[in-house]
Amino acid sequence: GSAAAEKKRWTLNDFDIGKPLGRGKFGHVYLAREKRSNHIVALKVLFKSQLKQSQVEHQLRREVEIQSHLRHPNILRLYGYFYDQKRVYLILEYAAKGELYKELQKCKYFSERRAATYIASLARALIYCHGKHVIHRDIKPENLLVGAQGELKIADFGWSVHTFNRRRTMCGTLDYLPPEMVESVEHDANVDIWSLGVLCYEFLYGMPPFEAKEHSDTYKRIVQVDLKFPAKPIVSSAAKDLISQV
Ligand SMILES: CC(C)NC(=O)[C@H]1CCC[C@H]1Nc1nc(Nc2ccc(C(=O)N(C)C3CCN(C)CC3)cc2)ncc1C(F)(F)F
């Protein structure tokens, strides 16, 4: 938005609230329309109490700071934020075609053409982020949304500035973590390239490459890079080569 928009103090009165789009980690997300511009947005409502008890306030602050400065067609925009007594509100770009992981669940796996289109746009978004010394560290289907024209949008607030010693509490799935993070040693932007390979595999086969029943088994498969390609669905050797290289 314009420079003026950047400095504007937003309040809930600036918006007409529409239907709920679903639940995020720390609260609900609503469709909303900014009254003056009639601009459609997603309003993510986070409860301060939950942020406090999960000790993520400082992380949210930094990630909002990063996200609001990123401008790329395959990165979901953060237009601004505001808060009241109990809640923090994030004014986000509305992705009209929703959550990619639901689409992947529905069609089990994607065609090579569709997977290639998604991976190429993610690669462009990561080149942009790494160019600004931002590594994402949380590339996975759940963090991807789809725009009105079917374009991919990285939407998670797991962005973090390029840091070496920021430990990530092992919350959520290990599936997407590369060896250096699973062994929680220092890591750099290449962690995102690894995750891109994991994502490419999951787009084509419908499951992540190192999936296992137990966490400890997933851990072992990752550190050993125990990469196996199922016989079905049929995937080109070019695609397998790309996944192996990445
Ligand atoms: C990346 C992050 C981890 N994920 C999230 O934040 C999630 C948590 C809840 C929603 C989503 N957050 C967003 N979702 C959209 N668009 C959207 C979502 C869902 C549908 C949809 O399928 N239904 C409404 C369907 C319609 C049909 N009925 C049956 C089910 C729901 C359609 C459009 N735009 C921006 C956001 C954002 F990110 F800005 F908040």
Side-chain angles (χ1 to χ4, degrees):
S2 65
E6 241 81 288
K7 287 197 218 18
K8 171 157 181 44
R9 282 257 154 279
W10 296 104
T11 73
L12 208 47
N13 287 331
D14 291 316
F15 301 93
D16 291 318
I17 308 299
K19 70 172 182 178
L21 293 171
R23 283 187 54 78
K25 270 176 280 190
F26 294 99
H28 287 81
V29 179
Y30 299 89
L31 195 59
R33 182 178 54 220
E34 201 276 316
K35 289 173 180 169
R36 234 178 305 285
S37 63
N38 277 336
H39 189 192
I40 297 293
V41 296
L43 203 59
K44 191 170 246 187
V45 184
L46 308 159
F47 285 92
K48 286 183 176 179
S49 55
Q50 284 184 25
L51 295 171
K52 198 179 298 297
Q53 86 190 59
S54 316
Q55 290 154 14
V56 292
E57 306 103 312
H58 64 282
Q59 182 194 353
L60 177 66
R61 218 189 303 278
R62 182 174 56 248
E63 286 159 1
V64 165
E65 174 58 28
I66 293 168
Q67 186 84 15
S68 55
H69 288 97
L70 295 177
R71 300 275 193 283
H72 188 278
N74 300 109
I75 296 174
L76 198 81
R77 279 294 310 280
L78 175 84
Y79 301 116
Y81 69 95
F82 56 96
Y83 46 83
D84 61 21
Q85 198 63 27
K86 290 203 185 107
R87 290 163 286 254
V88 176
Y89 303 84
L90 305 184
I91 310 163
L92 292 152
E93 178 184 355
Y94 170 60
K97 290 200 172 156
E99 299 171 277
L100 187 77
Y101 84 93
K102 285 186 183 170
E103 180 63 18
L104 182 56
Q105 280 169 348
K106 205 165 69 182
C107 39
K108 202 164 171 329
Y109 48 79
F110 294 142
S111 70
E112 289 205 24
R113 171 173 299 281
R114 184 167 185 183
T117 306
Y118 288 155
I119 295 298
S121 51
L122 279 173
R124 286 194 296 274
L126 291 176
I127 289 167
Y128 170 81
C129 293
H130 294 172
K132 295 168 91 76
H133 306 295
V134 170
I135 51 177
H136 187 281
R137 306 192 321 159
D138 208 8
I139 301 281
K140 57 186 178 185
E142 293 75 6
N143 290 342
L144 303 173
L145 297 174
V146 186
Q149 274 73 42
E151 74 279 21
L152 212 56
K153 305 259 178 189
I154 304 181
D156 178 66
F157 287 98
W159 296 106
S160 64
V161 160
H162 181 74
T163 58
F164 276 93
N165 53 13
R166 201 175 83 132
R167 284 199 188 288
R168 184 174 191 75
T169 51
M170 289 302 156
C171 58
T173 172
L174 285 174
D175 285 311
Y176 294 82
L177 296 184
E180 62 270 28
M181 273 189 89
V182 166
E183 295 171 325
S184 62
V185 297
E186 293 192 344
H187 54 275
D188 60 16
N190 288 323
V191 301
D192 288 336
I193 307 306
W194 171 280
S195 304
L196 198 59
V198 173
L199 199 68
C200 189
Y201 183 105
E202 181 166 2
F203 282 170
L204 293 172
Y205 291 102
M207 73 200 75
F210 308 113
E211 200 168 52
K213 247 191 333 304
E214 304 298 328
H215 254 199
S216 51
D217 298 329
T218 303
Y219 173 101
K220 280 189 208 117
R221 293 197 62 198
I222 291 170
V223 293
Q224 289 162 5
V225 194
D226 172 23
L227 179 62
K228 296 183 194 109
F229 295 110
K232 292 279 177 207
I234 309 243
V235 170
S236 69
S237 49
K240 290 181 201 165
D241 180 56
L242 172 70
I243 291 165
S244 312
Q245 301 274 355
V246 164

